[in-house]
Amino acid sequence: MRNFKVDGDRLWASLMEMAKIGATEKGGVCRLALTDVDKAARDLFVQWCEEAGCTVSIDKMGNIFARRAGKDDSLPPVMTGSHIDSQPTGGKYDGIYGVLAGLEVIRTLNDLDYETDAPIEVSAWTNEEGSRFAPAMVASGVFGGVFTLEEGLACTDVDGKTIGEELERIGYAGEMECGGREVGAFFEAHIEQGPILEAEEKTIGIVQGVQGISWFDVTVTGMESHAGTTPMERRRDAMVGAAMLVAAIDQLALDNAPDARSTIGVMRVSPNSRNVIPGSVYFSVDLRHPDPDTLAAMTAEAQRQAEALAAERGLEITFEEIWHSPPIKFAADCVGAVQSAAESLGYASQPITSGAGHDAVYVSRVAPTGMIFIPCEDGISHNEIEAATQSDIAAGCDVLLNAMVALATRDEGEARDST
């Protein structure tokens, strides 16, 4: 292993400059997918890639690919990347770190005048978060063959605007087909978004795979009625039913501890009036577990609880799965390249399973894939106070650089010689 090192100061400066786009008062960012703010961040990324000598292309889902040519440009590229979009109250590192770490890999290879055999590509995937357009990871999902192009472009936000319309509006509706081409390997660098690495005092998480995720839309329907004149025993209160089901789903995760997760992230009440008994409540459910059988059992139990509650309270409850991402294991060669790079560089590391979904999940369906985690302060993410240290940011990129060089160089023994 050559033990190349990136320019940590330059990578940090790029992250801080990008964080100005969509900056929030508490130090985070709000860059919802395909908004004008997202466009501004995309434009800056493309500018930086072109300044680094890359050829930039955009596919029909708006995914951006910046390519550094290799000695043999006919070889499938070794790719890295993540996403530019954020949660409404997101942090400065989630997603964008993986994009700019890829750019720093290219900048460092330029500085070293080092030519890999295979091309190097950096990708920025559209709408990873799913906070504006559901489901999450939809554009990498089209790339990976999980969704059709038509399904991806037809996803709508709460105002009825589609991904296709918004790509056209901001000028990122590309001509290139989404997917259908060979990728030699794909890596994604990311903050952990959890507390394990920090607690274990490890710099690098060697990600073995990603736990399964299921999303549901739930609607509880009762009967609207006057809050003051309707006796308690005659009510069909949708809010009470929803509250009882939310508590049951929370208990479901506790019953499957320590690996299970359940989250109710969105709730809408109708008619949403102070003195009217709610007639309808919609809420979202997010269930997660690394074991597919346990996740399936959790889903079945949640649906059973909904049916029982509906019968008990005189309600109608629909419980619809809108997205499922099964648990996955990453490719041994990619996981091994990350581990070898971390060991050669002398960074403390450990195997880890991702609790969050990432674009790497869908890319893994069409390419050998691995991930690199670095710690984040208190494990906090999807929050404006999300934080990571400059040294950890650089270390993760060092590992990324060396893992990519190892897989993009035919003479693997030469690539692993120490300088």
Side-chain angles (χ1 to χ4, degrees), residues 59-216:
D59 71 18
K60 292 180 178 180
M61 281 300 299
N63 299 315
I64 304 169
F65 301 92
R67 184 182 182 99
R68 183 182 191 262
K71 292 178 185 177
D72 184 351
D73 227 28
S74 68
L75 292 173
V78 174
M79 186 185 293
T80 186
S82 194
H83 59 97
I84 292 174
D85 67 309
S86 80
Q87 292 287 332
T89 53
K92 292 194 285 280
Y93 308 97
D94 178 5
I96 193 62
Y97 167 54
V99 175
L100 297 183
L103 175 58
E104 180 56 33
V105 165
I106 288 176
R107 286 170 166 172
T108 300
L109 292 174
N110 289 346
D111 293 345
L112 297 169
D113 196 24
Y114 185 90
E115 193 174 14
T116 54
D117 291 314
I120 298 291
E121 281 193 18
V122 183
S123 57
W125 305 98
T126 299
N127 189 57
E128 189 273 351
E129 293 290 3
S131 55
R132 182 180 179 193
F133 303 95
M137 299 137 55
V138 66
S140 57
V142 175
F143 187 90
V146 179
F147 309 112
T148 66
L149 176 64
E150 292 72 22
E151 287 172 332
L153 294 176
C155 291
T156 59
D157 66 7
V158 295
D159 297 318
K161 297 176 181 177
T162 68
I163 284 181
E165 291 167 347
E166 290 296 88
L167 283 171
E168 291 282 357
R169 185 185 68 82
I170 69 169
Y172 276 88
E175 297 292 330
M176 186 170 69
E177 294 300 322
C178 185
R181 62 188 179 102
E182 189 177 2
V183 176
F186 177 79
F187 293 94
E188 184 169 0
H190 211 283
I191 59 171
E192 181 195 347
Q193 301 182 284
I196 296 171
L197 293 176
E198 184 181 59
E200 297 294 328
E201 299 183 345
K202 299 294 172 60
T203 304
I204 301 296
I206 304 165
V207 185
Q208 309 297 298
V210 180
Q211 69 179 352
I213 307 171
S214 291
W215 280 7
F216 303 87

Side-chain angles (χ1 to χ4, degrees), residues 247-295:
I249 291 170
D250 180 68
Q251 186 61 47
L252 182 61
L254 294 172
D255 290 343
N256 287 276
D259 294 325
R261 305 285 187 270
S262 68
T263 303
I264 312 300
V266 177
M267 182 170 282
R268 294 193 290 269
V269 182
S270 176
N272 205 32
S273 175
R274 186 179 296 269
N275 62 344
V276 178
I277 298 166
S280 176
V281 176
Y282 160 85
F283 61 93
S284 65
V285 176
D286 179 318
L287 296 180
R288 306 188 186 212
H289 200 280
D291 178 68
D293 292 337
T294 304
L295 182 59

Side-chain angles (χ1 to χ4, degrees), residues 190-360:
H190 211 283
I191 59 171
E192 181 195 347
Q193 301 182 284
I196 296 171
L197 293 176
E198 184 181 59
E200 297 294 328
E201 299 183 345
K202 299 294 172 60
T203 304
I204 301 296
I206 304 165
V207 185
Q208 309 297 298
V210 180
Q211 69 179 352
I213 307 171
S214 291
W215 280 7
F216 303 87
D217 282 345
V218 181
T219 302
V220 181
T221 304
M223 175 68 74
E224 297 169 17
S225 190
H226 196 290
T229 62
T230 308
M232 299 300 291
E233 69 275 8
R234 296 182 64 84
R235 296 184 177 206
R236 295 171 55 208
D237 191 327
M239 176 59 87
V240 172
M244 294 174 70
L245 186 54
V246 167
I249 291 170
D250 180 68
Q251 186 61 47
L252 182 61
L254 294 172
D255 290 343
N256 287 276
D259 294 325
R261 305 285 187 270
S262 68
T263 303
I264 312 300
V266 177
M267 182 170 282
R268 294 193 290 269
V269 182
S270 176
N272 205 32
S273 175
R274 186 179 296 269
N275 62 344
V276 178
I277 298 166
S280 176
V281 176
Y282 160 85
F283 61 93
S284 65
V285 176
D286 179 318
L287 296 180
R288 306 188 186 212
H289 200 280
D291 178 68
D293 292 337
T294 304
L295 182 59
M298 290 171 62
T299 296
E301 178 59 19
Q303 292 171 327
R304 189 197 69 78
Q305 295 261 16
E307 292 171 2
L309 185 63
E312 176 189 342
R313 307 287 301 190
L315 303 168
E316 295 179 9
I317 301 179
T318 61
F319 202 102
E320 178 187 3
E321 184 175 75
I322 64 163
W323 178 56
H324 175 68
S325 179
I328 65 161
K329 291 184 178 180
F330 287 136
D333 286 351
C334 293
V335 173
V338 172
Q339 182 172 342
S340 295
E343 290 174 352
S344 183
L345 290 160
Y347 294 130
S349 64
Q350 71 174 59
I352 194 169
T353 297
S354 174
H358 299 282
D359 290 307

